[in-house]
Amino acid sequence: MSSFGLLAAIWPLTTLGHYVSWHVIQISVANLIVIILMVVTFIVALFAPFPGRRRRKENP
Amino acid sequence: MSTTEIDRQWTTRLRKRVAGKLPPEKLLPDTQPTYVSSWIYVFGVTTMAALGVVIASGCLLALRGPQWWHTSSVGHFVNSLHLWSVEIFFFAMVIHLWGKYFMAAWRGGRALTWMTGVVTFLTSIATAFTGYVSQSNFDSQWISTQAKDGINSTGAGAFWNVLNSGQMLMWHIVLLPIAAVALTALHVLLVRIKGVVPPFEKTTEVTQ
Amino acid sequence: MRSKAFRPDVDAPEWKGGHSPYDIIKEGTIALVVVSILTVLLSVAFGSPDDPSITIKAWSTNAPMDFATTALSELNATSGSAQYGAPYNHASTGQQLGPLTLAKWIGVRVPVNSVNDYIIDPLRSLPKQPALTADLSQWSSASGSTRAGWVKDYSQAANQMQIVNGQLVVNATNAGPLPVMMADLFQMARTGALDQALVTQNGFYTSDYTLPLLFLADGTYLSGIAQKQHLTGDQWGMMNETGNYPGQAWLWLYTFWYQIKPFNASGNGDVLVWGLMMVLSAGLLLTPFIPGLRSIPRKTRVYRLIWREHYRSLP
Ligand code: HEM
């Protein structure tokens, strides 16, 4: 199996987790990053211009 | 056979209904209304693509049985593919849900599209959960012994025993994926039948 | 043209505008390629967690006292699973949603008898040893009240339970066969034989881990490890994964209720949270029909961003 050693993760996230807490909220840094990325992606999807479509007249 | 006799055949009637509701140009349209012009629209398709990768990586994991990935680095890598595609799947699905909510995409007879979406979401959560308890490692020991109390408290634990690893694995790799795929197919067919929801009228927001 | 009954959050205006080319198959193919690449990149970069499972062998070796006290709690039926109620036994009513005792109504469908399943049956599976064989037959021929007396005496003496040279020692004088039986059970756990005995109850093949999992969960060794990994219920643990991996972030709301009153202070917390989540899920399902909730999209006007090109083109 050593020829597949390349398949081992480069940065395995196996160390003890990091957590953020704020009042009643406790969240792992990993989950927090996922949620922030989700919100950011949503906002970018709302604002980013959609390419490839026939541009309609900008100034009617 | 007379034409009316043919017309009355179940087969003919089914074909005509399908063709009427979902002619090929509606099933695979080559144009969209001009308002379909936002990145938000790609998240439904992205969710579907991620579901495809989830299923493909799950099938690879199935090839050599449930213990393989603990002992083989190839198996472990395939497990990583499965885990990360699930994370992407939920990521895309939640953004899709937000987007459809803010478009009120249930309007114009599309409530069933919304509702099949929600049921797919809940089914996906159950599928992911059974996956976590099917890992056969510390994680699954902990998650199953914790989750049993919630499920037992509803009475469902009598039939759906989260500590029965065989039962959970079967649900994870057979029953729930079939449900998720069937629901997704229904959901997307409904979208195709109804077409993409048109924008709010400018006037409605003024008058209301 | 429009009838007065047009409801903006329910009805959609008919589209009379134009169409433009849109290649959904190409879009889907690109999505598939992008998701596949991203999946491979994340897997190559971070891998996935696989903390090995905890065996009863490891538990009784690393935390012998915890194992021995848990075994005692199965013997005198004070353990979590022995006191559970349905679906495992009739020991208690179990959780209630107001007047509804859902689990109890459905009944005992996964029967667990803590004394027989965790102590007597595993010991019977051991190779014949004269002392143990005699003790087991003494146990099985004893009356219920005799056994109860032995258990009581043993439990009292177990306050001074010790582990000497890897042996469980409880100096009970009136506990009949129990000191030998429990010492043998302890040995059995240490060799790993108990792990096997608990799963092979139904024969050669097995895929049901109800007994060993309930046993592990009755002790504190498993939850101690989970606590360190930030996985317990009061640590928002349902969302979390071992190590630094993202977990089931989509369970945030379900997990949240367990952190606050009345849920975290009630013996019926689980069924209350489940009841609430069912109501909230029904709300999400029925959003198109719920006045107020279905108007938020129109009132927040986020849609103006989504369809901005469309609105820009309007006269
Ligand atoms: C496995 C999960 C899902 C998949 C694969 C999926 C896929 C899709 C696709 C491909 C479309 C058409 C393209 C688009 O508008 O994005 C769509 C539309 C839609 N989806 Fe989903 N979806 C899923 C879950 C959901 C969920 C959780 C909801 C909401 C609760 C939802 C609500 C809708 C609605 C209302 C539409 C109609 C859009 C319109 O007419 O503009 N879907 N879905």
Side-chain angles (χ1 to χ4, degrees):
Chain A
M1 279 293 148
S2 60
S3 55
F4 291 107
L6 281 176
L7 291 176
I10 303 174
W11 302 285
L13 305 176
T14 44
T15 52
L16 205 57
H18 299 289
Y19 288 83
V20 182
S21 42
W22 184 74
H23 296 278
V24 76
I25 294 173
Q26 290 180 54
I27 187 164
S28 71
V29 171
N31 277 344
L32 188 64
I33 291 175
V34 168
I35 291 171
I36 290 174
L37 276 179
M38 244 155 68
V39 174
V40 168
T41 310
F42 181 64
I43 292 173
V44 168
L46 288 180
F47 283 92
F50 193 68
R53 305 305 315 278
R54 184 168 48 84
R55 276 268 158 188
R56 305 189 63 97
K57 274 178 286 171
E58 295 287 331
N59 305 306
Chain B
M1 268 204 290
S2 68
T3 5
T4 48
E5 203 183 324
I6 289 188
D7 283 346
R8 256 187 270 120
Q9 286 192 116
W10 291 9
T11 314
T12 321
R13 275 150 69 175
L14 178 66
R15 188 190 65 230
K16 286 193 169 158
R17 266 199 80 174
V18 171
K21 281 225 173 226
L22 204 62
E25 57 279 9
K26 259 183 138 179
L27 180 64
L28 288 176
D30 40 27
T31 63
Q32 289 292 338
T34 45
Y35 56 79
V36 181
S37 175
S38 164
W39 281 104
I40 280 295
Y41 285 103
V42 308
F43 287 93
V45 177
T46 307
T47 313
M48 235 160 92
L51 181 59
V53 179
V54 169
I55 290 173
S57 56
C59 288
L60 289 179
L61 269 183
L63 281 176
R64 300 208 47 195
Q67 300 303 316
W68 173 54
W69 75 281
H70 295 302
T71 52
S72 147
S73 54
V74 183
H76 194 107
F77 181 72
V78 174
N79 180 73
S80 307
L81 294 177
H82 197 55
L83 173 72
W84 286 108
S85 55
V86 168
E87 289 287 340
I88 295 173
F89 170 70
F90 275 96
F91 191 102
M93 179 161 41
V94 170
I95 295 177
H96 175 64
L97 188 160
W98 292 343
K100 294 303 150 188
Y101 179 74
F102 284 109
M103 292 153 113
W106 52 76
R107 290 172 297 131
R110 292 173 181 80
L112 201 56
T113 314
W114 172 268
M115 289 162 73
T116 50
V118 173
V119 176
T120 315
F121 179 55
L122 298 176
T123 307
S124 307
I125 290 177
T127 315
F129 167 74
T130 52
Y132 277 95
V133 301
S134 294
Q135 291 175 93
S136 63
N137 59 13
F138 166 74
D139 218 23
S140 50
Q141 289 179 310
W142 177 250
I143 293 173
S144 60
T145 50
Q146 287 294 294
K148 75 177 192 306
D149 298 330
I151 288 157
N152 287 343
S153 75
T154 66
F159 309 100
W160 207 69
N161 179 5
V162 295
L163 305 181
N164 183 338
S165 319
Q167 186 186 13
M168 289 302 108
L169 182 64
M170 297 282 197
W171 276 75
H172 180 66
I173 68 172
V174 183
L175 302 173
L176 289 168
I178 289 177
V181 169
L183 284 162
T184 303
L186 181 64
H187 179 72
V188 176
L189 285 180
L190 282 170
V191 178
R192 293 277 53 102
I193 289 171
K194 292 283 175 185
V196 181
V197 72
F200 286 105
E201 289 205 314
K202 248 189 165 166
T203 47
T204 52
E205 77 197 33
V206 180
T207 54
Q208 298 285 314
Chain C
M1 287 295 284
R2 173 132 305 139
S3 77
K4 267 179 281 161
F6 185 85
R7 296 156 298 171
D9 301 317
V10 178
D11 304 316
E14 201 191 321
W15 177 244
K16 300 207 188 69
H19 287 67
S20 33
Y22 197 108
D23 194 345
I24 56 173
I25 295 298
K26 186 172 166 193
E27 183 191 28
T29 310
I30 294 173
L32 190 62
V33 171
V34 170
V35 172
S36 304
I37 292 176
L38 209 55
T39 304
V40 171
L41 288 181
L42 286 163
S43 303
V44 169
F46 303 126
S48 52
D50 187 18
D51 288 19
S53 47
I54 307 292
T55 58
I56 294 173
K57 181 179 177 178
W59 174 24
S60 57
T61 309
N62 300 337
M65 271 302 181
D66 184 56
F67 171 81
T69 8
T70 308
L72 173 67
S73 72
E74 306 296 358
L75 177 71
N76 58 26
T78 55
S79 70
S81 67
Q83 297 279 314
Y84 201 93
Y88 306 127
N89 50 46
H90 298 285
S92 64
T93 312
Q95 295 200 15
Q96 290 177 249
L97 187 60
L100 312 178
T101 55
L102 301 170
K104 193 178 170 205
W105 286 344
I106 294 175
V108 178
R109 301 276 169 161
V110 188
V112 176
N113 177 316
S114 67
V115 179
N116 289 339
D117 287 334
Y118 293 120
I119 296 160
I120 309 299
D121 290 346
L123 287 175
R124 286 216 172 101
S125 74
L126 283 177
K128 270 210 174 7
Q129 303 160 37
L132 180 61
T133 312
D135 283 338
L136 280 171
S137 57
Q138 189 187 2
W139 175 268
S140 47
S141 52
S143 70
S145 59
T146 311
R147 288 181 192 174
W150 289 338
V151 171
K152 197 169 163 219
D153 184 71
Y154 184 86
S155 304
Q156 274 164 2
N159 286 332
Q160 258 97 58
M161 164 190 306
Q162 280 179 308
I163 287 145
V164 183
N165 296 329
Q167 308 281 333
L168 178 66
V169 179
V170 172
N171 293 316
T173 42
N174 282 316
L178 288 177
V180 171
M181 282 166 57
M182 296 306 278
D184 282 354
L185 189 77
F186 185 77
Q187 283 312 305
M188 202 179 167
R190 286 229 163 162
T191 59
L194 189 52
D195 282 292
Q196 291 311 309
L198 289 179
V199 291
T200 50
Q201 300 231 329
N202 299 316
F204 182 78
Y205 288 109
T206 185
S207 60
D208 185 351
Y209 289 81
T210 306
L211 287 182
L213 283 172
L214 281 178
F215 195 20
L216 269 177
D218 282 338
T220 62
Y221 182 63
L222 185 71
S223 57
I225 295 172
Q227 174 97 33
K228 274 191 217 122
Q229 292 265 17
H230 227 95
L231 300 177
T232 64
D234 56 5
Q235 295 170 313
W236 294 67
M238 283 165 219
M239 281 170 77
N240 297 340
E241 177 58 276
T242 51
N244 256 314
Y245 290 92
Q248 304 183 69
W250 47 90
L251 296 183
W252 65 274
L253 187 57
Y254 175 55
T255 315
F256 165 71
W257 302 117
Y258 282 94
Q259 318 306 319
I260 60 165
K261 286 197 173 85
F263 308 102
N264 63 356
S266 164
N268 296 315
D270 290 300
V271 76
L272 291 177
V273 171
W274 270 76
L276 180 63
M277 285 309 285
M278 282 181 188
V279 172
L280 294 176
S281 301
L284 185 64
L285 184 72
L286 300 175
T287 296
F289 309 103
I290 301 176
L293 189 56
R294 67 181 179 196
S295 308
I296 294 174
R298 180 166 49 86
K299 302 217 162 118
T300 51
R301 294 168 52 109
V302 174
Y303 71 87
R304 295 291 302 225
L305 281 169
I306 298 172
W307 289 311
R308 63 183 176 278
E309 289 197 29
H310 163 71
Y311 291 112
R312 219 180 273 150
S313 72
L314 290 182

